[in-house]
Every structure is written in C-alpha cells, then in structure tokens.
Amino acid sequence: MAEATVSKKKKIRRSDYQYTVFKAMRNGDWITRLSFLIMGFGNIVRKQFVKGLSFLVLESIFIYFMIKNGASLLTDFFHLGGAEQEKVWNDAKGIFEYTQGDNSLLMLLYGVATVFIIFAFVCLWVVSVESAYRAQCLHDAGKKVPGFTDDIKSLFDKNLHMFLLPLPVLGIVVFTILPLVFMICMAFTNYSKLDSHTVLFNWVGLKNFAKILNFNDAVGSTFWSVLGWTLVWAVAATFTNYIFGMILAMVINRKGTRCKGVWRSIFMLSAAVPQFVSLLLMRTIFSQNGIVNTLLLNHHIIDNAIPFWSNATIARIMVIVINIWIGIPFTIMQVTGILQSIPEDIYEAAKVDGAGPVKIFFKITLPYMLFVTAPYLITTFAGNINNFNVIYLLSNGAPIPVGKTAGKTDLLVTWLYKLTVDNQYYNLGAVIGIMTFIVLAIVSLITYHNTTSYKDEEGFQ
C-alpha cells in the first residue's frame, strides 16, 4: 500500500514537470526548437496568437533595450567608470564649463538593475519554451490547445496563483532584493570618503572583508569588540525579558492571585507609551545632571554623580535593565495565552506523582513554553541584534573612545549607521551589514536547534 502511494506521488510529480526546457530540446519538433530563438513562434503556429505575440513583443523590447542601453550599462557595471568632472574654458562664450564625469554609484545601481532584467528575461524565455512545448504535446495528442479565453479562465481557477503573485513578487524584487544585492556589491568596492572615493570608486574584491576581520587593524579590532558586545547584549536582552516575563506571567496567572486584570494593566502601561518617548525620558533621568543623580547628591547619598552613560560597564548594565522594563510587557502578553492553554490535568497528575513546583516548571511548563515560543525567541533575538532604538536613543553608543568610530555600547547596527551616515565609509558599512546577517543567521539556527533539542530531550509531545 505504501509503495503504491509513493509511486502515485512520483507519477504526479512527473506529470507536473513534463513540459521542461530539456525535454523540449530532446523531444521538440522544429517549430518548438525555433521557439528557442524566436519566442512565441510555437504558440503562434499552434494558434495561441495572443500568448505568442506577447512573448515576441517582450523579446523584441528586451533586445532593443540591450542594444540601446543594456550592453553599455553592463560594461559600466564591470569597470564603474573613471572619468572625473573637468573644468574647460569655452572661447566662444568666454566662460568655464564643466564636463560631466562618471558617477560610479549610478553605474553600480544601473548595472545591478540590468542583471536583474537579464535574469527576468531568462525566466520569461524558459516559460515561453515550456509553453511552446506544451502546445506541441497537446497538438500531437489530438487535444485542444488552450486559446486566449481558456488561459484567462484558468487564471481565475487552477492558475490563480499566476494571477495574484506577480505583483507582490515584483514589489519584493524591486524594493527588497534589488537594494540588498546593490548593498552587497558595494561591500566589494572602495566607496568611501577615504581618498575621496565618494563619486568615483572601483572594485577591490575581498579587501574590505580582510580589513574588517583583521585583529591588528583599527577597524578590525573595533569590529570584534562590537561583535562581542552585540552577542552579549542579544543573549542578555532576549533571555532576561523571556525569563522575567515568564515568571511574572506565572505569578499573575496562578490561582491565588487577585485582580489579575489590574496587574496586567499596570505592566502594560510602559508598552502603551511610545518607545522613543520612554527611552529619551530614561536617558534624561539617568544623565549626569538628571533626576536620579540630583536626588542622590542632595540627600548626600553619593559625593559624585554616577557616570551612567560615561562608564562602559554601568552603561551596558543600564541599557540591559531598561530594555527589561520595556520588553517584559510584550513577553507577558505572549506567555499569558500559552500558560492558559496548558491543560490543568497535566499539573494535577504531576502533583499526584509527588512533583514539586520546581520539577513541574522544568518538566512541564518550560518544555511546553519552549516548544510554542521557539519562533518568538528567534525573532526576539534577531530583533535585539538589530535593536537600533534602545541603544541609539539611550546611550548613542557612549562612552565613545577618542578617535573611534564605535562606542562601548554600540551594536553592529548602530555602528553601521555611524559608519555610513556620520563617517561616509559606505563600503565598510556594507560589509558590516553582511556580517550582521551572517551572525544573525548562524545564532538563530543554533537557538532554534537548542530549543527544539531541549523539547525532544524532555520528551514533550
């Protein structure tokens, strides 16, 4: 029975992919093979005029684009220009005129866009060849070749995805993937204010990555220092919020707690206030001349103001503690619903077997929580690695050593902002962006593996 099911699935898969380019090359007739060069030819011959003409028009537009602009844009993409703007004297007008120089940034952007257009055309070419081969197979089998009306009807039935997905996919490509590829390419150039390479720059290969990873380089040593603190911050910020939020949610949800709604409302007050307002308020309260230092000094509890933001250790502790105050309400909201969904019968059975509160927590509550909230933990961890608001609005990376581009509380994301916006080291900023993604991907996979492994070891179902 199982073998029959497997073979049936295999047959379904083969039928789904029977009209491929490779099969068209091997089994296609001369009409289909000519469609490899003249897109839509096979469709037109087999009376799919609208579809065939559409393929042909799109191919003509692509060829026209490549001849007129595409080839030159690709050439510029590989060398990124080199002609500077020059000042030339015009004898006829008696004035100096400026010749237009190259702009490497635009050449890079247009080059990346051209590569995307070529890739899109290749995908369109594959679709056109498969469509021509499908029309041939239907014609040879004596079946009806779908016309324009049939294709329109199928878009609202079995091919609804082909009608609904193209626009969202185009938006993702244009506004997400294209900028990401553009940024990645920037990491392999010398695009920065160093040696005035902000207008004209060139490819430098892996030189920027070698600089970032070099312990002996000033930028490299800063990177490893910031990376270490970023990981410490992400772990501390994620698990302190998770643990304290879980404890508070369990205390509020236990049977003996009265006025549960009131307690939840109190903890939600900090979440109701916009985060940037809370963070700026906290920064002012704990500043050198803030309320906390003023009260302590006036009551002679301390002799000198506490350097909340000028001492590296204290500043790091402060951002973690304040993040706990901001993040716990959201954790309570996540955990409360999960705690209420755990069957009471499990707890009653554990108590009958003699399990205490600690054992019940580690054997029942925690595995259940980790199983359900593993995606939440991963997204929270990712958010903390890229938590620009808390660090930038609280400490602005302070304390910042003299001559350094990053402070003791800077994360990779805030350092990236300073490298690009404040210092115009765009190439190094792009490298930091790539390294942040790599670190985030690796640690997220490890976190997911550990949480699921814990669930499996505890035997939770």
Side-chain angles (χ1 to χ4, degrees), residues 250-260 344 347-348 351:
M250 291 173 62
V251 171
I252 293 173
N253 282 281
R254 72 189 186 96
K255 291 182 178 180
T257 303
R258 298 180 179 180
C259 305
K260 297 180 181 181
E344 288 291 334
Y347 288 116
E348 295 297 333
K351 291 177 182 178

Side-chain angles (χ1 to χ4, degrees), residues 394-405:
L394 275 180
S395 66
N396 195 20
I400 302 175
V402 178
K404 295 289 186 178
T405 55

Side-chain angles (χ1 to χ4, degrees), residues 21-313:
V21 174
F22 296 104
K23 289 183 179 180
M25 293 175 62
R26 186 173 63 250
N27 303 323
D29 57 14
W30 69 271
I31 297 175
T32 300
R33 293 180 181 179
L34 190 57
S35 299
F36 280 66
L37 296 177
I38 305 175
M39 289 171 51
F41 181 77
N43 301 99
I44 295 173
V45 171
R46 293 184 171 94
K47 298 181 180 181
Q48 292 181 314
F49 298 109
V50 176
K51 182 184 289 187
L53 289 173
S54 300
F55 286 136
L56 184 60
V57 169
L58 290 174
E59 182 183 22
S60 302
I61 293 173
F62 175 76
I63 294 173
Y64 175 77
F65 165 75
M66 290 301 298
I67 293 174
K68 186 175 181 181
N69 296 315
S72 61
L73 291 176
L74 278 180
T75 304
D76 293 339
F77 174 69
F78 288 110
H79 66 73
L80 296 179
E84 297 182 358
Q85 187 183 54
E86 295 181 354
K87 187 177 180 181
V88 181
W89 175 258
N90 190 322
D91 291 328
K93 297 180 180 180
I95 59 173
F96 281 101
E97 293 181 341
Y98 290 90
T99 60
Q100 185 176 359
D102 293 331
N103 190 325
S104 299
L105 187 64
L106 292 178
M107 290 180 175
L108 180 61
L109 176 61
Y110 294 154
V112 172
T114 303
V115 172
F116 271 72
I117 292 173
I118 294 173
F119 177 77
F121 175 76
V122 171
C123 295
L124 179 67
W125 176 82
V126 170
V127 172
S128 70
V129 171
E130 292 178 351
S131 177
Y133 181 59
R134 180 172 181 269
Q136 173 198 329
C137 293
L138 292 175
H139 180 269
D140 294 344
K143 297 180 181 179
K144 179 185 177 183
V145 179
F148 178 70
T149 305
D150 298 323
D151 289 335
I152 294 297
K153 290 180 180 178
S154 69
L155 289 177
F156 295 94
D157 189 12
K158 62 181 180 180
N159 292 324
L160 184 63
H161 62 284
M162 297 178 64
F163 176 70
L164 297 178
L165 286 179
L167 190 59
V169 170
L170 180 63
I172 292 172
V173 170
V174 173
F175 297 107
T176 302
I177 300 178
L178 178 60
L180 283 176
V181 174
F182 176 67
M183 184 274 291
I184 292 172
C185 291
M186 198 179 294
F188 299 92
T189 68
N190 57 350
Y191 178 37
S192 69
K193 72 175 183 180
L194 191 65
D195 298 328
S196 300
H197 285 301
T198 54
V199 177
L200 293 176
F201 52 85
N202 297 301
W203 298 105
V204 295
L206 298 174
K207 184 178 180 180
N208 295 323
F209 290 88
K211 185 179 183 67
I212 288 290
L213 299 176
N214 186 4
F215 284 96
N216 298 323
D217 189 272
V219 177
S221 62
T222 304
F223 166 75
W224 290 108
S225 175
V226 173
L227 174 61
W229 161 241
T230 300
L231 295 177
V232 172
W233 151 263
V235 172
T238 300
F239 289 100
T240 51
N241 277 339
Y242 187 74
I243 293 170
F244 288 123
M246 186 190 304
I247 292 173
L248 287 174
M250 291 173 62
V251 171
I252 293 173
N253 282 281
R254 72 189 186 96
K255 291 182 178 180
T257 303
R258 298 180 179 180
C259 305
K260 297 180 181 181
V262 175
W263 291 112
R264 294 193 188 104
S265 300
I266 291 174
F267 283 107
M268 285 306 300
L269 286 177
S270 61
V273 180
Q275 191 181 82
F276 79 94
V277 175
S278 302
L279 294 173
L280 291 177
L281 182 63
M282 284 294 175
R283 179 177 178 177
T284 304
I285 290 174
F286 291 99
S287 63
Q288 194 76 6
N289 300 316
I291 297 173
V292 174
N293 274 322
T294 301
L295 290 175
L296 293 176
L297 288 170
N298 290 341
H299 288 81
H300 305 290
I301 298 176
I302 58 175
D303 296 327
N304 298 308
I306 301 175
F308 287 109
W309 307 121
S310 56
N311 181 278
T313 303

Side-chain angles (χ1 to χ4, degrees), residues 348-381:
E348 295 297 333
K351 291 177 182 178
V352 171
D353 291 339
V358 176
K359 191 171 184 179
I360 289 175
F361 173 77
F362 283 103
K363 293 295 182 179
I364 298 176
T365 306
L366 186 59
Y368 193 98
M369 294 293 299
L370 289 176
F371 174 71
V372 178
T373 61
Y376 169 73
L377 274 175
I378 294 172
T379 55
T380 304
F381 186 86

